[in-house]
Amino acid sequence: MKSADCIVKNCSQLLTCEGRIPKRKEALQEVGLLEKGCIASFKGRIVFVGDEKRFKEEVHLEENSIQIDGTGLVGLPGFVDSHTHLPFAGTREEEFVLRLKGYSYQQLAEKGLGIQTTVKSTRQASQKELLSLCLSRLDRMLLLGTTTVEAKSGYGLNLNDEIKQLETLQEANRFHPVDIVPTFMGAHEIPEEYKARKSDYIELLIQTILPEVKEKKLAEFFDVFCEEGIFSIEETRKLVRAAKEAGLKIKIHADEFSPLGGAQLAAEEKASSADHLINITEEGIKKLSNSQTAATLLPAVSFFLMHEKKAPARKLIEEGAIVALATDFNPGSSMTESMLFVLQLAVFTLKMSIEEAINAATANSSYALARHEDVGSLEVGKKMDLVLWDVPNYPTLVYHLGINPIKHVLKNGKLVVRDGKIL
Ligand code: NIG
Ligand code: FE
């Protein structure tokens, strides 16, 4: 007989999001709904999902186990936020106010605002300051139901400050219950001091910073901003190939403002994901949909930048793309830690169904991080990362706006949020 040391019973609805990951097309509708669901784990891993009667027959509950009554609560896998720029210092509300007066994000970037502003403040911050900023943001994420988060460097743009950002993430991962998946994104911008000699910066990235990141084992992924005026398709390909050589998995900021063809490149280079895709072309949609590369949509960015144009979520789903959702949390184009808000935007602005959005924020985003063996659905063998929401049914998560109905969060089978408070 199996043992359990943690049990949650009587959830009014338990959404397991089980099934083959990645999910495409109709499979995105399947959320694995269990009424009166019971779920149990042992040493952090799920050992049982089903009804209570069968639990009693099949599983022995150890003394002093964690026991949670899920009556009136809806259980979901913890959100996997697969795209954030977490370790930054300084905020950009002044730039935001200028945007409200009519300046575009790109006009401001040309004036030296935008990413460069955050590069300055992040370079100035000590590792201790950065860590404390990261920890409070991770707390907010946890309180909004995120249990795994990807986090990128990319506001250092030199050896010391990129390493500082990545080491901060390593430390935060040790201290905080949320799992952090680190990404090296030195190719986020061309730093001011290299503006006139971009190819030298690319060489610095490839010859100096990347080997150090590899040597110190500071990142699992490599990401690059493939965009007009930033890194071209050819430059992106060069960077991506060097990162693959260094053993990193690939993500690409693709087709965000201009249809350069980053989506096609991501598919060709077998990237884990192509992210943004607001300006993806027809060809890009076809290529990405027929690949193993996830299409990560970030609807908070179109919302935050007040752009009419949105990523073509319906078209991507119809063509069979692996659609995932993430916040893109950063101070310039998406100042939100909330995956719940992203879920709501996906439904209201991208016309995704509630079920598609839930799968995209859990199962498929775990795939975009190559963590789908561990998280993203509630299945035997996976981590007990469970969020209990105080809503009468799961559609209410999207229907009732502007509140945070979190009740409890279990991370690795441990209670880390109780009654909406971090323990
Ligand atoms: O994903 N697109 C590039 N990078 C970020 C924005 C970063 C910033 O504005 O600080 C993004 O949107
Ligand atoms: Fe981003």
Side-chain angles (χ1 to χ4, degrees):
M1 203 177 201
K2 285 186 282 197
S3 292
D5 57 16
C6 169
I7 181 169
V8 179
K9 40 189 181 184
N10 257 323
C11 294
S12 56
Q13 296 185 326
L14 186 65
L15 272 59
T16 63
C17 297
E18 68 192 6
R20 229 177 92 98
I21 296 178
K23 297 190 179 196
R24 303 177 191 255
K25 293 190 171 179
E26 287 76 33
L28 273 164
Q29 299 290 353
E30 291 154 20
V31 288
L33 174 65
L34 282 176
E35 311 267 351
K36 293 248 165 284
C38 167
I39 178 165
S41 62
F42 185 63
K43 296 194 165 137
R45 295 274 165 177
I46 298 170
V47 291
F48 179 89
V49 188
D51 65 49
E52 206 183 334
K53 183 167 166 284
R54 196 160 62 76
F55 175 81
K56 283 184 179 145
E57 291 161 7
E58 291 177 13
V59 188
H60 161 74
L61 189 62
E62 293 202 333
E63 262 179 62
N64 303 320
S65 291
I66 299 171
Q67 299 197 43
I68 295 171
D69 179 14
T71 306
L73 304 178
V74 171
L76 252 71
F79 290 132
V80 178
D81 189 349
S82 61
H83 181 143
T84 84
H85 299 257
L86 179 72
F88 63 85
T91 48
R92 306 223 298 265
E93 51 276 33
E94 281 164 32
E95 174 187 318
F96 172 61
V97 172
L98 285 174
R99 272 201 302 106
L100 293 179
K101 292 189 175 146
Y103 290 91
S104 74
Y105 180 78
Q106 278 142 311
Q107 280 170 330
L108 293 166
E110 280 154 25
K111 280 175 178 285
L113 291 168
I115 295 177
Q116 302 288 359
T117 315
T118 306
V119 171
K120 280 191 202 105
S121 41
T122 305
R123 285 178 176 180
Q124 272 160 20
S126 69
Q127 194 163 320
K128 202 166 156 216
E129 284 161 346
L130 259 192
L131 177 64
S132 139
L133 287 165
C134 285
L135 293 176
S136 36
R137 290 167 189 156
L138 288 163
D139 279 355
R140 275 196 289 277
M141 287 174 169
L142 190 59
L143 284 170
L144 290 157
T146 297
T147 47
T148 302
V149 66
E150 183 262 10
K152 305 174 199 296
S153 67
Y155 291 118
L157 309 187
N158 61 32
L159 177 63
N160 285 349
D161 293 303
E162 284 294 308
I163 297 294
K164 177 178 77 186
Q165 282 193 291
L166 292 170
E167 284 180 345
T168 303
L169 294 175
Q170 200 176 49
E171 228 181 326
N173 203 18
R174 246 181 262 135
F175 287 126
H176 204 280
V178 171
D179 281 325
I180 302 172
V181 180
T183 295
F184 168 50
M185 197 180 177
H188 191 196
E189 238 302 6
I190 301 101
E192 242 10 291
E193 62 277 20
Y194 278 92
K195 274 283 174 200
R197 43 191 185 111
K198 187 171 23 163
S199 54
D200 289 353
Y201 185 58
I202 295 175
E203 286 314 302
L204 176 77
L205 286 170
I206 294 176
Q207 305 300 341
T208 309
I209 313 185
L210 192 57
E212 184 87 357
V213 171
K214 178 188 173 180
E215 160 83 20
K216 293 190 161 159
K217 294 194 172 63
L218 287 172
E220 273 180 50
F221 286 88
F222 177 83
D223 196 343
V224 35
F225 193 9
C226 179
E227 183 60 56
E228 218 170 272
I230 316 284
F231 295 100
S232 69
I233 290 286
E234 277 322 308
E235 289 160 345
T236 301
R237 196 189 303 275
K238 182 171 179 182
L239 286 160
V240 158
R241 297 228 167 131
K244 286 205 274 193
E245 282 282 306
L248 297 184
K249 294 185 282 272
I250 304 300
K251 292 180 167 292
I252 300 180
H253 277 60
D255 304 323
E256 179 181 4
F257 298 110
S258 46
L260 276 199
Q264 293 91 308
L265 178 66
E268 283 163 21
E269 292 297 322
K270 299 191 170 29
S272 299
S273 69
D275 302 38
H276 282 289
L277 309 174
I278 297 168
N279 284 289
I280 187 172
T281 60
E282 284 295 321
E283 191 204 330
I285 294 175
K286 288 254 149 32
K287 255 199 151 150
L288 199 55
S289 302
N290 288 306
S291 76
Q292 301 301 319
T293 301
T296 300
L297 308 185
L298 311 164
V301 176
S302 299
F303 181 82
F304 197 85
L305 298 181
M306 292 173 278
H307 286 174
E308 284 300 312
K309 199 157 183 196
K310 313 276 186 289
R314 288 263 46 94
K315 192 89 211 290
L316 283 161
I317 292 173
E318 274 158 31
E319 294 290 332
I322 302 162
V323 171
L325 286 167
T327 58
D328 195 15
F329 173 56
N330 77 76
S333 67
S334 182
M335 188 64 178
T336 180
E337 293 95 338
S338 176
M339 282 295 283
L340 188 60
F341 181 49
V342 166
L343 213 69
Q344 292 160 348
L345 288 174
V347 173
F348 280 92
T349 71
L350 302 184
K351 312 283 181 252
M352 288 172 69
S353 73
I354 296 173
E355 292 77 10
E356 286 168 344
I358 289 175
N359 274 312
T362 54
N364 279 2
S365 44
S366 74
Y367 174 82
L369 286 187
R371 291 289 169 105
H372 51 297
E373 301 286 331
D374 275 337
V375 295
S377 64
L378 300 171
E379 293 178 87
V380 170
K382 287 197 170 185
K383 288 191 180 195
M384 178 68 145
D385 288 1
L386 172 71
V387 181
L388 293 161
W389 298 96
D390 189 5
V391 285
N393 46 55
Y394 73 86
T396 299
L397 285 172
V398 174
Y399 161 70
H400 195 160
L401 301 174
I403 57 161
N404 180 15
I406 200 104
K407 182 77 175 170
H408 308 308
V409 180
L410 286 150
K411 175 70 196 164
N412 287 326
K414 293 209 174 75
L415 197 58
V416 289
V417 171
R418 186 172 55 210
D419 288 321
K421 300 241 160 27
I422 294 203
L423 294 175

